């Protein structure tokens, strides 16, 4: 599956850190990506074989946008 998002306004080359949390665990960095010319970014992930609840969020500290953290998105692997 793909975890994706965008920054607004849509700046290019914004460094985005993607994090995940399994269950009630702690947030862990899984990727660092840069936005495209329209501010969009995406990370491919493989769904595990275990039944899990996994949350994802994105963070940036770009000088044009300030310090931003997205809301967490929860996924369930059945």
């Amino acid at each position: 599956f793909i975890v994706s998002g965008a920054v607004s306004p849509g700046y290019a080359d914004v460094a985005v850190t993607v994090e995940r949390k399994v269950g009630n665990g702690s947030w862990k960095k899984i990727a660092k990506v840069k936005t495209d010319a329209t501010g969009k970014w995406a990370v491919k992930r493989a769904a595990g074989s275990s039944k899990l609840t996994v949350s994802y969020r994105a963070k940036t500290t770009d000088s044009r946008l300030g310090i931003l953290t997205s809301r967490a998105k929860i996924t369930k692997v059945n």
Side-chain angles (χ1 to χ4, degrees):
F1 65 95
I2 297 175
V3 179
S4 63
V7 298
S8 180
Y11 292 121
D13 296 321
V14 173
V16 176
T17 299
V18 183
E19 299 178 325
R20 80 172 188 163
K21 177 172 76 166
V22 178
N24 292 322
S26 58
W27 289 103
K28 297 194 189 287
K29 176 181 155 182
I30 60 165
K32 190 162 190 171
V33 296
K34 290 210 174 195
T35 58
D36 66 13
T38 63
K40 295 179 183 177
W41 58 268
V43 175
K44 287 185 181 182
R45 298 294 299 165
S49 59
S50 302
K51 291 185 178 184
L52 298 172
T53 299
V54 182
S55 300
Y56 292 90
R57 72 180 182 187
K59 298 170 76 174
T60 186
T61 57
D62 188 81
S63 62
R64 297 166 288 183
L65 298 168
I67 299 170
L68 301 173
T69 302
S70 71
R71 287 181 277 147
K73 288 295 207 171
I74 300 171
T75 61
K76 292 187 179 188
V77 178
N78 292 319

